[in-house]
Amino acid sequence: MFRGSKSYFSSSKKGGKLTVTRQVKKIYLRTDIACGSEACAVCGALLKEMTGVATLDANAKVLLIPDTNVFLHNIDAMESPAIADVVVLDTVLAEVKNLNKSVYERLARVVRDPEKKKRFYVFSNENHRDTAAEQEPGESANDHNDKLIRNAAKWYQLHLSQVENGPEVVLLTHDIGNKEKAVKAGIRALSVAEYVTEYKREDASLLEMVVTATGATVERRGAGSNIYEPHLSAAEADAAVRTGAVLKGPLRAGNVHEGTVRVASEKVDDETGKTTKVFAEYLIASKKDMNRAIDGDAVGVVPYPVRQWTKPSRFLRKGEKDTGDGSRITANTDDADEARLGGFIPTARVVALIENNRRPVCGSIMWNEDQSSSTATERVLFRPIKSNFPHVSLQTRQAAQWAGKRLQVVIDDWNINMNYPDGHCVKVLGDIGDKDVEAEVILLENDVPHYEFSNKVIACLPTGKWQVEPDQLKVRRDFRDRTVVSVDPPGCKDIDDALHCHRLPNGNLEVGVHIADVTHFVKEASPLDDEASKRSTSVYLVDRRIDMLPKLLTENLCSLVGGEDRYTFSVVWEVTPDCEVVNTTYTKGIIKSKWAMSYYTAQGIVDDPNDHSTVATGLKDLLRLSKILKARRVEAGALTLASQEMKFTIDMEGDNSPTDVQEYVHIPTMSMIEEFMLFANVAVAEKIEREFPKWACLRRHPPPPDGAFEALNEALESQAMPLLKAGTSRELADSLDACNDAKDPYFNRLVRVLTTRCMNQAKYFSSGEMDKQQYWHYGLAMPIYTHFTSPIRRYADVIVHRQLAAAIGIAKRSTKHMDAELMLELTGNMNTRHTAAQHAGRDSRNLYIGFVFDNYKNGREEQIPEEDGYIVRRLENGVVVMVPRYGTEGTCYFEDCTELGEKIKALRQFDKVRVKIILRPGSYDDVARNKLLYKIVQHVHVQRVACAIPPTANVGVSEEPKDKAQPPSMPFDPTVQKKADKPDAAPKAKQPPAVAKRPASGGGGDPKKRRKVVKKVVKKAAAPQAQQAAAGDDGASDGEDI
């Protein structure tokens, strides 16, 4: 039966023009949709035809139909084993997906559970003749959805009334209006708390989880005066956004007292007609103006008049001193330009919560043994790990048991008259300070999927002893006669790249980059492929690796270990001795690596003038060629940026705790691998974009935003140093070279670290999204770039492998990776997961630095040696100081630095100081809250003398390739080899920079001088220079991705 149609609008951009397409979807009503109950004789035949779906137990006493808000606010309870036989309506599933993708993924995981233990059945209520309903004129979308849910509940009630001893149908809802209408229609409707109290009282954990979530707020509602303004309703907010009275955007909160909202809009160029997206940023300057919104929420804001604009806080909070009451100076003028000159910026207040993106957060309760330890219900305050999330009020009988534990808590409600939101504990993770528990916290906080691979995924893997298949010998090039080697961090297990360099009779060289052929084992659209797509990347913490793919692939069948036959996807060049490319070949191959060696082993071989073995000859040729490639990248304007790259020394004889942290030492073989990885990435990018201009998976890096270096240049000017210019990447590269202090070797590195933080992030994208001019990778000075060399740990590379196989005609076009819309969705997820992985790695390093300083507890808190430091930020009541020795930054309050008196207030950014670090153990024995008190004890006077780094200094620099993460132990430390023998000891985190072609134009520097340098390097590679961090596609290890 044809019911009607729904219109959907999709937009796409090509050539800068926005195209909106109206798509009409016809909806047909059916009667052959099963109810899902095994007890129903009417639907029995239909159920037999359905395979792989959960069914409702024939003996179930109660059948639950939750509305959308039940899943959004009680997903933890709904995941409990005590909750089963649930009907998930299509209407509810779509609403949950639209409102909170994190909750949707959790719900989808329950629905798709291969064992079907919880029996969650999806019912297509909008396509069933007896449950569908048209939206009436004037009826809001929310009211219409509530009506559809009630219709389905009523139909189930009538439908199953024919079953002898059939289940009772219960509609779960927290919406008072919806509940009243349901009861009026004769439907049994309960809140989750009421249902659990009546039917599941014996389940103490479920009872506490739900009762805490609802009763506490109701109990205190209406008490006291309002602290916050009420939010607009969904309908009011939607109407206000459409008229422009309310602006919509995501909230990014630096802390609970201040945040920013970025509002997007379209701007049309009057001359060209091109449409571009522009952003306006609004400051939310107080806790009151945040109005119960939390970091990550999509909010509606109303801008303040120019007269009420204010400035971001330049006051370092110490403890809870900053009340966030909004008492700041305001512009006091109606002229926007005048206000901006005074440092004031657009300011707004939150009036609507448009999309709740909240998920469980980790932390601990503020409770000690002096407090009541009875089992009576009491109220405790939960303090999250992250400072940009508010404290949460919990009502519990288990406070004593929770003391000293990491908890996972979810917010249930935040009433307008309460300082803190109400919430409930969903999981006790374990003891504070336990390394496994703290790793779990990091993964949960960054939303990193880290559950075990499902049986369906494991079933996709090969079984038995694997060996080269005879049919593959016919379609692959055999490289087993070449001297192929891999060069990786010590103890690396997931080896996804290897190289060879072979001298040809004509005097040229054959260079091969061999990448693990992951797509041979990961078949498109298989459960294994779907899981890899969802995870998108492996994640590397200091002490463990969370794989994108099962270990059978990452450490065995796809890992290019020494002495074993392995399948590869290879890029092979014939090059002249001066590294001019004669031809390029892309081919599937078979290799047998002669040696899986570490960087340090390879360095020892190339440094030995008496080693003339085939391995040594190949490595020495590769190193020489890599320096030529490096010289060309520098000539093209590729940036050399820096980050705080630290290594931990691990106590292998004890409890694997870190005993020291030091800056990582770089050696030339690391740069050698980097150059050839990016060389292959560029070659592949050019090939797939040429063949598939509408959907090639590429990676771009936008130029720095306008004004990105203003504050940095002000600081450089105060130090009488050259200013940064960012018109082109070459200009920036030249100006970075000029910011060198002859008297302070670390100064240039510090400038590069801070420059990295001003850059935009690099992003994956599909080539059909934008014009070719926007493909440009600013950091690498590359017109085109992609990721091909790490398919074991990046799903982007898996996509690129499939596209390359199709491009050279050895595989059919992928249905998923040759679809512009699907590629847009995939690249969006890859960008999100990549950022989350970076943040998780940063959090892990910070945690382990805390473990290092934990060694100074128990009376040694003030025995940490003084270290050199640099001022990296100056505020009203203190400064932020960086200590290179530990790779840490901390706040120095003027009031604590008594040694310098008033002189401390004259310190400028980039000033060198001596710093005393004092450990203040975290409250409630929380290692994650160990405080490091930074006290400046001496201003080290340095008369800055600008001395430009010669162009040769950036050629052949001793550096770590960003394509390889390092193991947690220090290089050449005896613990390194011990660590290498342990699983997951030496993870790789590949983010390679690319080889740059010379752009048609570019500013900055002396081109003649650069060309001379390149010619010189062709003849003889430049000498390495220590401690210069790599210029990379994914630059900063602190999460400031480029």
Side-chain angles (χ1 to χ4, degrees):
M1 178 190 297
F2 177 63
R3 165 184 157 199
S5 61
K6 278 190 177 181
S7 294
Y8 299 88
F9 293 89
S10 62
S11 61
S12 60
K13 221 181 251 188
K14 188 67 178 175
K17 295 183 179 180
L18 183 68
T19 303
V20 179
T21 305
R22 181 174 182 263
Q23 298 177 335
V24 179
K25 178 182 178 182
K26 293 183 178 180
I27 299 175
Y28 293 87
L29 299 184
R30 301 163 50 187
T31 57
D32 59 344
I33 300 174
C35 69
S37 174
E38 296 173 353
C40 178
V42 176
C43 298
L46 293 173
L47 280 180
K48 290 179 181 178
E49 297 175 4
M50 300 170 66
T51 58
V53 299
T55 54
L56 307 168
D57 189 2
N59 299 314
K61 300 299 181 185
V62 178
L63 188 150
L64 301 176
I65 303 181
D67 71 4
T68 304
N69 283 324
V70 166
F71 284 117
L72 290 176
H73 300 302
N74 284 271
I75 185 63
D76 312 288
M78 301 307 292
E79 288 176 327
S80 166
I83 302 292
D85 296 301
V86 175
V87 175
V88 182
L89 303 178
D90 261 354
T91 299
V92 171
L93 201 59
E95 269 200 298
V96 170
K97 184 176 183 180
N98 183 53
L99 294 172
N100 193 314
K101 288 183 173 58
S102 178
V103 172
Y104 171 78
E105 287 180 2
R106 293 169 67 182
L107 175 56
R109 202 151 52 233
V110 175
V111 169
R112 293 193 299 258
D113 175 23
E115 298 181 13
K116 313 299 180 188
K117 289 181 179 179
K118 288 177 60 60
R119 301 185 296 281
F120 274 45
Y121 176 75
V122 177
F123 179 65
S124 300
N125 63 303
E126 294 191 38
N127 292 93
H128 196 289
R129 184 190 62 186
D130 298 330
T131 57
E134 293 281 358
Q135 186 170 355
E136 298 173 5
E139 183 179 40
S140 70
N142 188 60
D143 288 342
H144 178 61
N145 288 339
D146 285 345
K147 180 173 69 177
L148 290 172
I149 294 168
R150 292 194 302 272
N151 285 357
K154 186 64 178 179
W155 179 81
Y156 264 94
Q157 189 180 63
L158 296 172
H159 182 73
L160 295 178
S161 64
Q162 307 168 40
V163 178
E164 186 177 355
N165 298 320
E168 180 181 12
V169 177
V170 175
L171 171 62
L172 294 182
T173 181
H174 292 158
D175 188 310
I176 295 175
N178 193 29
K179 184 177 180 181
E180 289 175 350
K181 291 177 181 177
V183 171
K184 189 174 181 180
I187 302 167
R188 176 104 159 113
L190 301 172
S191 69
V192 178
E194 290 168 337
Y195 168 75
V196 172
T197 302
E198 184 173 339
Y199 292 91
K200 301 289 182 181
R201 178 167 286 276
E202 71 284 354
D203 193 321
S205 61
L206 181 62
L207 183 64
E208 173 157 332
M209 184 185 297
V210 178
V211 171
T212 310
T214 56
T217 305
V218 175
E219 170 191 329
R220 294 178 294 150
R221 184 165 287 141
S225 59
N226 291 348
I227 299 172
Y228 301 102
E229 293 295 321
H231 288 147
L232 298 177
S233 69
E236 291 170 333
D238 185 54
V241 168
R242 284 201 303 270
T243 63
V246 169
L247 306 178
K248 174 184 174 182
L251 173 67
R252 292 292 175 259
N255 55 62
V256 296
H257 307 288
E258 183 177 282
T260 57
V261 174
R262 200 171 187 227
V263 178
S265 60
E266 301 286 349
K267 182 180 180 181
V268 180
D269 189 294
D270 293 334
E271 294 183 4
T272 64
K274 288 187 176 182
T275 303
T276 56
K277 184 171 283 190
V278 294
F279 295 92
E281 195 165 86
Y282 293 87
L283 173 69
I284 312 298
S286 70
K287 191 174 181 180
K288 182 178 180 181
D289 283 347
M290 296 266 275
N291 197 8
R292 298 164 291 152
I294 294 171
D295 181 65
D297 286 345
V299 298
V301 299
V302 172
Y304 279 114
V306 174
R307 182 167 291 274
Q308 292 178 260
W309 286 7
T310 187
K311 301 178 181 181
S313 176
R314 293 184 59 81
F315 186 86
L316 288 171
R317 288 196 310 122
K318 193 171 186 180
E320 296 298 324
K321 283 187 177 181
D322 185 357
T323 60
D325 61 2
S327 54
R328 305 186 189 184
I329 60 170
T330 53
N332 202 29
T333 177
D334 295 321
D335 188 305
D337 292 335
E338 182 182 346
R340 285 191 172 91
L341 285 174
F344 298 95
I345 60 176
T347 309
R349 59 190 175 91
V350 174
V351 297
L353 184 59
I354 293 175
E355 187 174 334
N356 177 345
N357 288 321
R358 299 168 193 176
R359 52 185 178 78
V361 293
C362 301
S364 54
I365 62 170
M366 302 169 67
W367 191 93
N368 57 47
E369 293 180 1
D370 296 333
Q371 294 177 248
S372 169
S373 59
S374 69
T375 57
T377 299
E378 56 185 309
R379 193 160 280 285
V380 295
L381 207 56
F382 167 84
R383 183 167 60 175
I385 288 284
K386 294 190 175 178
S387 61
N388 62 350
F389 199 90
H391 290 181
V392 182
S393 179
L394 306 179
Q395 183 174 305
T396 181
R397 301 180 184 89
Q398 303 182 58
Q401 291 90 332
W402 289 352
K405 303 288 185 183
R406 282 276 180 253
L407 310 179
Q408 196 179 24
V409 163
V410 67
I411 285 180
D412 302 312
D413 192 18
W414 195 342
N415 201 22
I416 58 176
N417 56 16
M418 305 309 301
N419 275 316
Y420 302 111
D422 289 310
H424 65 276
C425 174
V426 297
K427 190 175 182 182
V428 178
L429 300 172
D431 293 334
I432 290 173
D434 180 89
K435 293 180 180 60
D436 291 333
V437 173
E438 299 298 349
E440 172 85 353
V441 167
I442 289 170
L443 296 173
L444 289 169
E445 284 292 283
N446 290 287
D447 197 24
V448 173
H450 57 286
Y451 45 82
E452 295 294 326
F453 290 101
S454 70
N455 292 335
K456 280 190 174 181
V457 170
I458 299 300
C460 297
L461 302 175
T463 56
K465 182 177 175 59
W466 182 85
Q467 58 185 5
V468 172
E469 299 132 302
D471 63 319
Q472 290 295 312
L473 288 169
K474 300 175 184 178
V475 295
R476 293 177 180 270
R477 178 174 169 182
D478 196 337
F479 291 98
R480 288 176 291 186
D481 62 335
R482 295 292 192 244
T483 304
V484 177
V485 298
S486 63
V487 184
D488 292 279
C492 181
K493 294 181 180 296
D494 54 340
I495 304 170
D496 47 16
D497 60 82
L499 302 92
H500 85 264
C501 186
H502 178 71
R503 295 181 179 181
L504 299 173
N506 64 0
N508 289 341
L509 299 102
E510 177 189 88
V511 177
V513 170
H514 308 281
I515 306 301
D517 189 5
V518 170
T519 55
H520 177 80
F521 299 97
V522 181
K523 303 302 182 185
E524 185 177 356
S526 67
L528 176 57
D529 184 45
D530 291 342
E531 184 61 39
S533 171
K534 180 180 177 181
R535 297 190 181 210
S536 284
T537 181
S538 294
V539 179
Y540 297 87
L541 307 186
V542 169
D543 63 338
R544 67 197 68 207
R545 182 183 76 233
I546 294 83
D547 289 315
M548 182 183 79
L549 297 168
K551 278 187 170 52
L552 178 63
L553 296 182
T554 61
E555 295 184 2
N556 188 351
L557 302 185
C558 292
S559 185
L560 307 183
V561 296
E564 297 288 343
D565 291 339
R566 289 292 182 262
Y567 293 156
T568 65
F569 209 155
S570 304
V571 183
V572 183
W573 301 269
E574 181 183 344
V575 300
T576 67
D578 290 347
C579 207
E580 297 295 338
V581 176
V582 177
N583 59 65
T584 306
T585 305
Y586 310 89
T587 181
K588 291 291 183 87
I590 302 174
I591 68 166
K592 189 171 187 177
S593 174
K594 300 297 187 290
W595 197 342
M597 65 183 72
S598 72
Y599 292 130
Y600 310 107
T601 301
Q603 191 64 50
I605 291 173
V606 298
D607 288 343
D608 183 355
N610 298 316
D611 191 341
H612 302 292
S613 65
T614 54
V615 169
T617 300
L619 286 174
K620 291 174 182 179
D621 284 343
L622 287 169
L623 184 61
R624 183 182 62 80
L625 293 173
S626 73
K627 292 177 180 179
I628 298 172
L629 294 175
K630 178 78 174 187
R632 290 175 183 164
R633 291 206 298 121
V634 172
E635 182 193 20
L639 297 179
T640 300
L641 300 176
S643 60
Q644 295 286 86
E645 299 169 87
M646 309 307 295
K647 302 306 300 177
F648 295 90
T649 303
I650 306 297
D651 178 13
M652 302 303 298
E653 304 300 325
D655 60 354
N656 287 340
S657 294
T659 59
D660 196 12
V661 59
Q662 296 180 23
E663 195 167 14
Y664 193 75
V665 178
H666 306 285
I667 57 178
T669 49
M670 297 174 181
S671 181
M672 176 186 76
I673 297 301
E674 176 189 10
E675 293 302 326
F676 283 105
M677 294 305 103
L678 58 86
F679 197 40
N681 284 336
V682 171
V684 171
E686 292 171 342
K687 180 65 175 178
I688 62 173
E689 194 278 334
R690 187 163 55 247
E691 296 295 328
F692 307 120
K694 292 184 178 179
W695 45 66
C697 180
L698 303 175
R699 190 163 174 83
R700 64 187 290 264
H701 179 216
D706 292 339
F709 300 119
E710 284 182 4
L712 199 54
N713 276 334
E714 287 180 14
L716 289 169
E717 188 174 25
S718 73
Q719 297 282 345
M721 298 299 286
L723 304 185
L724 300 180
K725 301 175 183 178
T728 66
S729 57
R730 177 178 286 183
E731 284 183 337
L732 183 56
D734 289 343
S735 55
L736 283 170
D737 287 349
C739 287
N740 189 52
D741 187 348
K743 295 185 178 180
D744 187 354
Y746 190 79
F747 181 82
N748 184 263
R749 179 173 173 79
L750 177 61
V751 173
R752 293 177 191 272
V753 168
L754 298 183
T755 300
T756 302
R757 300 179 184 181
C758 299
M759 306 293 283
N760 281 313
Q761 286 192 335
K763 297 288 185 182
Y764 295 111
F765 71 102
S766 178
S767 55
E769 293 179 45
M770 56 193 71
D771 291 333
K772 281 191 175 183
Q773 291 87 340
Q774 295 175 287
Y775 295 0
W776 189 263
H777 197 296
Y778 181 88
L780 301 173
M782 307 291 305
I784 193 169
Y785 187 66
T786 194
H787 277 163
F788 166 76
T789 55
S790 294
I792 286 178
R793 55 163 293 273
R794 281 192 311 238
Y795 193 70
D797 304 58
V798 173
I799 294 174
V800 170
H801 276 229
R802 288 177 180 149
Q803 292 185 338
L804 180 61
I808 63 176
I810 62 172
K812 294 181 180 179
R813 291 188 177 190
S814 161
T815 55
K816 184 164 68 171
H817 307 325
M818 305 292 175
D819 182 296
E821 292 296 322
L822 285 176
M823 282 298 298
L824 189 63
E825 184 177 339
L826 281 169
T827 54
N829 183 62
M830 291 188 301
N831 288 326
T832 299
R833 292 298 182 194
H834 173 74
T835 300
Q838 285 193 313
H839 290 174
R842 177 200 61 194
D843 291 347
S844 180
R845 288 188 292 274
N846 290 341
L847 175 69
Y848 265 71
I849 288 172
F851 283 142
V852 169
F853 285 109
D854 219 28
N855 296 316
Y856 288 93
K857 287 172 64 174
N858 303 319
R860 300 180 61 228
E861 287 83 359
E862 300 195 17
Q863 296 180 19
I864 303 171
E866 288 183 9
E867 298 290 347
D868 285 339
Y870 292 85
I871 306 300
V872 294
R873 192 179 179 205
R874 196 183 186 288
L875 299 166
E876 292 178 9
N877 64 327
V879 294
V880 178
V881 62
M882 175 191 289
V883 180
R885 164 69 176 81
Y886 297 112
T888 61
E889 293 178 30
T891 54
C892 290
Y893 300 95
F894 292 154
E895 63 186 65
D896 294 332
C897 301
T898 56
E899 289 86 348
L900 294 182
E902 288 297 309
K903 293 180 180 179
I904 190 161
K905 296 182 180 179
L907 290 176
R908 302 164 300 172
Q909 188 173 348
F910 291 119
D911 276 357
K912 187 175 182 178
V913 294
R914 290 291 288 176
V915 180
K916 175 67 177 175
I917 302 176
I918 300 173
L919 175 67
R920 292 287 181 260
S923 54
Y924 307 100
D925 292 323
D926 191 340
V927 66
R929 297 190 181 280
N930 281 348
K931 298 295 182 183
L932 298 177
L933 176 62
Y934 291 73
K935 296 179 66 175
I936 296 175
V937 297
Q938 180 187 352
H939 178 199
V940 181
H941 293 278
V942 178
Q943 185 65 43
R944 300 287 180 202
V945 179
C947 173
I949 300 175
T952 51
N954 280 332
V955 183
V957 170
S958 177
E959 59 187 23
E960 174 192 3
K962 296 299 178 183
D963 214 21
K964 310 270 187 180
Q966 303 303 316
S969 302
M970 288 298 299
F972 305 113
D973 189 285
T975 61
V976 168
Q977 197 55 48
K978 292 180 182 179
K979 188 71 177 177
D981 296 333
K982 300 190 68 152
D984 303 337
K988 291 202 307 184
K990 291 198 170 184
Q991 294 298 336
V995 178
K997 286 187 172 181
R998 303 180 189 184
S1001 63
D1006 183 344
K1008 292 182 179 179
K1009 184 182 292 185
R1010 287 181 179 273
R1011 283 193 290 271
K1012 288 179 181 178
V1013 171
V1014 174
K1015 291 177 181 177
K1016 181 179 179 182
V1017 170
V1018 169
K1019 295 178 180 178
K1020 182 177 180 181
Q1025 178 171 329
Q1027 302 298 324
Q1028 185 73 40
D1033 172 49
D1034 301 287
S1037 59
D1038 62 359
E1040 301 296 331
D1041 174 30
I1042 67 160

